[in-house]
Amino acid sequence: MSQQTDQQTDQDHEARQTRRSAVWALLVTSVAGFMAALDNLVVTTALPAIRKDLGGALDDLEWTVSAYTLTFACLLMFGAALGDRFGRRRLFIAGLTVFTGASAAAAMAPGIDSLIAARAVQGVGAAVMMPLTLTLLTAAVPAAKRGTVYGIWGAVNGLAVASGPLIGGSLTEHVSWHWIFWLNVPLGLLTLPFARLRLAESRGSGARLDVPGTLLASGGLFGIVYGLVRGPSDGWTDPVVLTALSAGGALLLAFVVYGSRAANPMLPMRLFRSRAFSGINAASMLMFVGMFGSIFLLSQYMQGVLGYSPTEAGLRMLPWTGMPMLVAPIAGVLSDRVGGRPVVAAGLFFQAAGLGYMAYVVTAHASYEVQLPALILSGIGMALYFAPAANLVMSSVRPHEQGIASGANNALREVGGALGIAVMSSIFSAYGGYTSAQSFVDGLRPALVTGAAVVALAALASLAIPGRGRTSGPKSLPETTSAPALEPTSG
């Protein structure tokens, strides 16, 4: 009897330890993910104030946004590979340290060139830190609870992406543009010791770094993202833009061929034989195309056409941007019970409907009440997507491949965001412009229709993911190399 009591006590203690570790992992990774995701769009509403203080041409201002996106997207898979090789907690701390230091440098930048450089270094830190948030969280949370925990993590990240313009505009309007960067510093300094003390170390397969794959992937992503960033302003027929897109595409094609034949590639192409892995990555990229492009234009519509201040515009977007905090945790629980595919698909269809409805009602004098249903639909849809998407990505591969799976998914989402802004800006320019309120609406409407169509395609892609109980995941794939499962280690 005494032995059974002792055994029960040990089990209870172990369960409490597991719950405590999971809570700390969720807090640390959510804060880090929030910081990295927030800096995608937080600068957009601060650009006029930055130009007033630091000067610079229009191209320089664009690079304060693009420098971060460029390094972030290009190095995501490399950051994940470094974590798998040298320790995920160790590299996560290194990435968070670089990101925090670069944020302070951006806040103190004496000129536009130094600000652009600091933003590029920020992207490097985020590229190392961001893909490791999911692998560290997965190692700390029991499988049965991951849907709920991913839901909370997804809610925080979704809120960061969507509320970037609000936070940036509010800080710029009421304090100073410098504080959009200073905000990261106390968050980073508070998070670093908890990351060191509360996260368990883990590694991937321990294979050597894939130098050829790293160079091909990073170079290819650099060319594609650079071309997409420069296309709308320089023109799609500009020789530099065409060269960047062509070279980037060729390098990515070479990366695919290399990943199909190499013994230990950075991203094994066999992962894409899994319908689950292919489906969720296609859906993620397409969703970010539609969402990023829409937020980029709608924030300008509310300010430039309807006359709201940055803070007023951000507050009126709260039914969209704030919805993830309410809905995503519930969606995470739902995905644990019914599977991720129906929740993701429903969310994407909701968001497509919201964007389509917004395209229907936008005018030069549209009332907020008319826009509200579209904002609510889009917010619910985004929340339903973010909650189970992370679970679908991580469960579609073997444990020792989760780091690179997370990096690949994040890279595709970043490329999708850059592509969305580029494509929808081009459509906007083809049908309208900034000459008048009506001209802006004339360009906005077809751009939003395009965004809705792309998100609807994302919903169709998500339906390719196998439902619960059907096998198409990593267990059915042949192993090309023997590698141990992810093993958390102490210290």
Side-chain angles (χ1 to χ4, degrees):
M1 186 68 173
S2 177
Q3 186 176 1
Q4 290 179 343
T5 302
D6 291 342
Q7 186 177 10
Q8 183 63 43
T9 301
D10 290 342
Q11 291 175 347
D12 291 342
H13 177 71
E14 184 177 349
R16 285 195 298 272
Q17 286 289 99
T18 301
R19 284 195 296 270
R20 192 177 296 116
S21 298
V23 170
W24 277 112
L26 177 60
L27 287 172
V28 170
T29 58
S30 293
V31 171
F34 181 88
M35 292 164 63
L38 179 69
D39 274 61
N40 270 301
L41 291 174
V42 73
V43 181
T44 53
T45 46
L47 292 178
I50 291 173
R51 184 178 186 181
K52 182 178 179 181
D53 279 2
L54 301 183
L58 179 61
D59 288 352
D60 295 322
L61 293 178
E62 290 176 353
W63 274 111
T64 63
V65 180
S66 303
Y68 179 83
T69 303
L70 197 59
T71 53
F72 189 18
C74 293
L75 297 176
L76 272 163
M77 285 193 286
F78 182 53
L82 287 175
D84 285 348
R85 180 68 179 87
F86 297 109
R88 290 163 178 158
R89 182 185 65 182
R90 178 184 300 175
L91 266 293
F92 173 82
I93 291 172
L96 181 57
T97 301
V98 170
F99 183 86
T100 303
S103 297
M108 296 185 293
I112 193 70
D113 291 336
S114 55
L115 175 60
I116 293 171
R119 287 284 287 166
V121 178
Q122 263 191 314
V124 173
V128 175
M129 173 179 70
M130 188 65 176
L132 299 177
T133 58
L134 271 180
T135 47
L136 289 166
L137 190 58
T138 301
V141 178
K145 299 292 184 182
R146 284 176 189 161
T148 302
V149 171
Y150 287 151
I152 299 171
W153 180 90
V156 174
N157 280 267
L159 179 65
V161 170
S163 64
L166 166 62
I167 294 174
S170 298
L171 289 173
T172 301
E173 184 178 346
H174 299 294
V175 189
S176 163
W177 67 262
H178 301 83
W179 278 94
I180 65 179
F181 302 115
W182 280 127
L183 177 66
N184 293 322
V185 177
L187 288 175
L189 293 177
L190 284 172
T191 305
L192 278 168
F194 290 113
R196 175 66 183 86
L197 297 172
R198 298 295 182 178
L199 296 179
E201 185 60 283
S202 64
R203 288 177 172 82
S205 63
R208 299 174 70 177
L209 283 178
D210 177 16
V211 176
T214 298
L215 293 175
L216 288 172
S218 300
L221 287 171
F222 181 89
I224 293 293
V225 176
Y226 183 88
L228 292 175
V229 166
R230 303 308 309 162
S233 58
D234 294 351
W236 295 105
T237 58
D238 180 81
V240 175
V241 173
L242 288 175
T243 301
L245 291 174
S246 301
L251 288 172
L252 287 182
L253 180 60
F255 175 69
V256 171
V257 174
Y258 171 82
S260 303
R261 298 177 179 177
N264 294 293
M266 168 191 279
L267 178 61
M269 290 300 118
R270 60 179 173 77
L271 295 181
F272 289 95
R273 299 176 201 164
S274 163
R275 281 172 51 202
F277 187 77
S278 298
I280 189 57
N281 277 290
S284 295
M285 181 173 152
L286 291 169
M287 185 268 192
F288 267 65
V289 170
M291 184 188 73
F292 259 70
S294 299
I295 291 177
F296 179 74
L297 290 174
L298 283 172
S299 63
Q300 296 180 66
Y301 166 72
M302 287 194 167
Q303 294 176 61
V305 176
L306 300 183
Y308 299 126
S309 71
T311 303
E312 291 170 339
L315 289 173
R316 283 165 174 79
M317 296 252 321
L318 275 178
W320 184 355
T321 60
M323 197 63 71
M325 294 300 292
L326 301 175
V327 178
I330 300 172
V333 175
L334 279 176
S335 69
D336 280 338
R337 294 183 179 179
V338 303
R341 182 182 70 165
V343 182
V344 165
L348 292 171
F349 278 122
F350 269 118
Q351 190 166 12
L355 290 176
Y357 184 77
M358 181 65 82
Y360 178 71
V361 301
V362 288
T363 65
H365 307 286
S367 68
Y368 181 63
E369 290 75 14
V370 170
Q371 302 170 54
L372 191 57
L375 296 171
I376 292 173
L377 276 174
S378 296
I380 293 173
M382 186 168 68
L384 290 174
Y385 160 82
F386 272 114
N391 201 2
L392 287 170
V393 171
M394 302 303 275
S395 62
S396 66
V397 298
R398 297 180 179 91
H400 65 273
E401 295 167 330
Q402 288 174 335
I404 198 58
S406 174
N409 182 258
N410 277 282
L412 287 170
R413 295 197 311 185
E414 287 301 311
V415 171
L419 179 62
I421 291 175
V423 169
M424 293 176 71
S425 295
S426 297
I427 293 171
F428 168 81
S429 299
Y431 289 91
Y434 293 91
T435 55
S436 67
Q438 187 57 50
S439 176
F440 192 100
V441 171
D442 290 341
L444 175 62
R445 188 174 289 117
L448 289 178
V449 170
T450 302
V454 172
V455 176
L457 283 177
L460 294 176
S462 71
L463 293 177
I465 301 169
R468 177 171 287 183
R470 297 174 61 186
T471 60
S472 77
K475 292 181 181 178
S476 64
L477 297 175
E479 278 279 19
T480 58
T481 59
S482 60
L486 181 150
E487 292 286 349
T489 59
S490 62

